[in-house]
Amino acid sequence: MQFKKIGVIGGGTMGQGISEMLAAKGIDVLLLEKTTDRLEHAYSMIETSLDKQLEKWAITQAEKKLILSRIQKITHLAELSSCDMVIETITEDLEAKKAVFKELDHVCPSHIILASNTSTLSLTELASVTEYPERVIGMHFIYPVSRIDLVEIIRGLKTSDGIFEHTKYFVETLLEKKGVMVYESPGFVTSRIICLLINEATHVLQEGVASAQDIDDAMRIGYSFQHGPLEMADRFGLDSVLAALERMFREFGELKYRPSVVLKKMVRAGNLGVKTGEGFFKYDKDGDRV
């Protein structure tokens, strides 16, 4: 199966990262957002990311132009019908995602793979609104997409062996990332474990055991994490972490998944992390720590 053109639905943090990574691998990308303003913002953030790499001599000006030239901005779902695969990266809202997959099923021929970057939702339920559930699969990329060489490939109840094999080939051969097969379960592997770590870190902060900075330093330096658990939460989006924990709490019914009070307070206050400029720490418009 050829993977020359990939559709990416959603221009948020993950959509930006996936689009940039695909374009850097020589793949044409159709990046879709609901409005022109959101689309332009997503594109400008990709350009900012490339400029940072340019400053560090990681890429050349010519490479930057080439990467950007491979990303086409679109606002209509029907334009994705010519893609070899479509990756959905919108917010973690089950009904919103189901609506997208239902529409994709109508506009995309039956051979096109429909993938979701969901970190917690049921692929079986997403596939249930489509006429061809066997082509629906999960591809959970880890933030930051360009630097983390892992993708969880999640099989729904009806995902076919052929679609799984094509997706694994795409991930491991074309993207040069490790693909791990996961059978559907709330939170899969990475989100299930990392959300518990983040939740425990917020409990430690709430109890006054240590400051946010010292908690993160302890885990980052002590266990060689790239970011501490609280900064991780800021970069994932505190609302996304809260939603994931609440979903797993409902699904498993175990107290360990119950979100901490401080996490709920932060979300209620609108301090969602990098995307709002403030969470457990403060960030500039480029997403760097202040």
Side-chain angles (χ1 to χ4, degrees):
M1 190 172 187
Q2 297 292 310
F3 291 101
K4 293 181 178 178
K5 188 190 292 184
I6 307 294
V8 177
I9 302 177
T13 303
M14 293 305 292
Q16 294 161 24
I18 292 168
S19 298
E20 180 189 325
M21 179 269 301
L22 292 173
K25 294 290 185 182
I27 298 168
D28 291 327
V29 177
L30 297 187
L31 176 59
L32 181 141
E33 255 295 358
K34 287 190 289 187
T35 66
T36 304
D37 286 347
R38 287 187 179 187
L39 197 52
E40 292 301 332
H41 173 71
Y43 193 81
S44 69
M45 290 302 288
I46 293 171
E47 194 165 5
T48 298
S49 170
L50 294 171
D51 284 336
K52 288 181 181 179
Q53 295 172 55
L54 199 60
E55 289 170 8
K56 297 174 183 175
W57 301 83
I59 60 172
T60 64
Q61 188 69 42
E63 286 171 324
K64 175 194 166 183
K65 286 182 179 178
L66 190 60
I67 291 169
L68 289 173
S69 72
R70 293 193 183 110
I71 302 173
Q72 181 183 341
K73 297 173 281 185
I74 62 171
T75 54
H76 299 290
L77 212 67
E79 295 178 74
L80 298 172
S81 62
S82 62
C83 293
D84 302 304
M85 172 190 281
V86 177
I87 304 171
E88 168 276 312
T89 72
I90 69 170
T91 185
E92 286 287 277
D93 180 285
L94 181 61
E95 293 308 315
K97 285 182 187 285
K98 283 167 73 173
V100 167
F101 273 83
K102 190 170 185 177
E103 195 172 346
L104 278 175
D105 200 50
H106 292 306
V107 302
C108 296
S110 59
H111 67 277
I112 295 178
I113 297 172
L114 304 183
S116 175
N117 184 53
T118 180
S119 56
T120 56
L121 296 174
S122 166
L123 271 303
T124 300
E125 195 162 354
L126 291 179
S128 70
V129 299
T130 69
E131 192 177 341
Y132 306 102
E134 66 276 2
R135 63 164 166 172
V136 177
I137 196 164
M139 285 176 63
H140 181 218
F141 292 87
I142 313 297
Y143 178 88
V145 177
S146 60
R147 294 204 295 272
I148 305 298
D149 293 327
L150 178 83
V151 179
E152 287 183 295
I153 305 173
I154 304 106
R155 299 186 64 147
L157 183 64
K158 294 185 178 178
T159 304
S160 72
D161 291 339
I163 291 297
F164 172 76
E165 291 301 329
H166 286 314
T167 305
K168 188 172 184 184
Y169 166 81
F170 172 70
V171 167
E172 298 197 331
T173 304
L174 300 184
L175 304 187
E176 301 176 289
K177 294 181 183 290
K178 173 64 179 174
V180 293
M181 185 175 77
V182 180
Y183 289 103
E184 185 177 301
S185 176
F188 314 132
V189 174
T190 56
S191 296
R192 181 172 172 178
I193 294 171
I194 206 66
C195 283
L196 279 177
L197 174 69
I198 289 169
N199 202 36
E200 194 59 31
T202 62
H203 279 298
V204 171
L205 179 67
Q206 184 179 310
E207 292 163 15
V209 175
S211 68
Q213 186 62 62
D214 285 344
I215 290 167
D216 269 22
D217 284 347
M219 299 307 296
R220 185 176 55 80
I221 300 168
Y223 291 90
S224 301
F225 285 18
Q226 184 177 0
H227 301 297
L230 299 177
E231 184 172 345
M232 275 187 210
D234 281 349
R235 295 191 177 279
F236 295 153
L238 301 192
D239 52 339
S240 297
V241 174
L242 178 61
L245 282 166
E246 287 178 334
R247 193 168 293 112
M248 288 189 284
F249 184 39
R250 285 196 303 272
E251 292 280 348
F252 291 114
E254 295 183 32
L255 287 176
K256 64 182 178 181
Y257 297 107
R258 186 169 65 186
S260 73
V261 172
V262 72
L263 180 60
K264 290 181 178 179
K265 280 184 179 178
M266 296 284 279
V267 172
R268 286 169 186 155
N271 295 344
L272 307 181
V274 173
K275 58 187 170 185
T276 59
E278 184 175 359
F280 292 106
F281 305 102
K282 292 186 178 181
Y283 305 85
D284 62 23
K285 63 181 180 64
D286 296 331
D288 296 322
R289 281 275 295 274
V290 175

